[in-house]
Amino acid sequence: MSLPVIMSLSPRGGGNSDQAADYFARCLHGESHVLRLRDHHVEPCTGCGACAADGVCRMSGEDEAEELFARLDRASGLVLTAPVYFYHLPSQAKAWIDRAQCRYMARQGGRAAGSVRPAYVVLLAGRPRGEKLFDGILPTLRYFLDALDFRLEGTALLRGIDEAGDFSRSREAMQAVRELAGRSGW
């Protein structure tokens, strides 16, 4: 059986999202590896529309977006950790998500959905309050995950995790991630 992919979407190395991804990996029973999106070159979607014909992105080979999608295709599950920037994901993460448009177009063109696998999301917001703090991110992630044959099974929505090391100093944040990892059954 393949392993789940654990991926930090943070543009900053060693930050709270990386710490949460690493901690999730340590909470699992089996072997796991954390990918860092910032270590991969991803160009933004240009909106050329060419993928509407066959679901194939014409930018394939120019960057690592398709390579990352292929890794997800082989994964038994997925964990995404990300900071909240202006009530949404960081720009590189959003650029990669936009590149999944070709997967959506392939599905619209009749490609059958694959077996649906579980996904878990950990979002870390610096703001301690905000009624709609995660409201922009979650629908985006659900549609992105759906295009890649994942279903969002659980989230840890963490607030007040802003300064370097806040995640590691917060028992509540670490407990939320530990519980989410336990729910995964991996």
Side-chain angles (χ1 to χ4, degrees):
M1 177 183 223
S2 65
L3 297 172
V5 169
I6 302 171
M7 190 169 200
S8 172
L9 303 180
S10 178
R12 181 180 59 165
N16 292 306
S17 297
D18 281 3
Q19 291 172 25
D22 293 340
Y23 186 65
F24 196 107
R26 287 193 309 272
C27 291
L28 298 181
H29 300 294
E31 180 183 331
S32 59
H33 174 73
V34 177
L35 291 176
R36 316 244 188 249
L37 181 60
R38 71 177 166 278
D39 294 339
H40 301 273
H41 176 70
V42 174
E43 289 290 325
C45 177
T46 62
C48 70
C51 64
D54 56 10
V56 176
C57 179
R58 298 307 182 268
M59 294 175 66
S60 295
E62 294 179 25
D63 67 3
E64 297 174 73
E66 282 299 321
E67 176 187 319
L68 290 169
F69 292 142
R71 287 183 87 160
L72 298 187
D73 290 342
R74 296 185 301 269
S76 61
L78 176 62
V79 178
L80 299 173
T81 66
V84 176
Y85 282 16
F86 288 96
Y87 287 72
H88 221 288
L89 295 166
S91 61
Q92 185 186 23
K94 186 60 172 74
W96 182 54
I97 287 170
D98 288 349
R99 289 290 296 284
Q101 177 70 14
C102 62
R103 298 296 183 101
Y104 172 80
M105 295 308 292
R107 177 91 45 89
Q108 294 297 103
R111 178 186 67 88
S115 61
V116 178
R117 296 149 298 150
Y120 298 87
V121 171
V122 178
L123 298 175
L124 302 103
R127 292 183 55 123
R129 293 181 304 281
E131 183 180 326
K132 299 182 183 289
L133 194 52
F134 305 104
D135 287 4
I137 299 172
L138 291 172
T140 299
L141 287 176
R142 279 189 184 94
Y143 291 116
F144 169 67
L145 293 168
D146 181 64
L148 298 170
D149 301 320
F150 289 99
R151 179 179 50 248
L152 184 59
E153 296 285 336
T155 61
L157 306 177
L158 308 175
R159 298 167 184 266
I161 308 294
D162 192 27
E163 299 298 321
D166 277 356
F167 174 79
S168 297
R169 288 189 292 270
S170 171
R171 288 184 194 176
E172 296 83 14
M174 292 181 76
Q175 177 66 27
V177 170
R178 186 171 41 255
E179 288 174 5
L180 197 62
R183 285 180 49 197
S184 76
W186 294 319

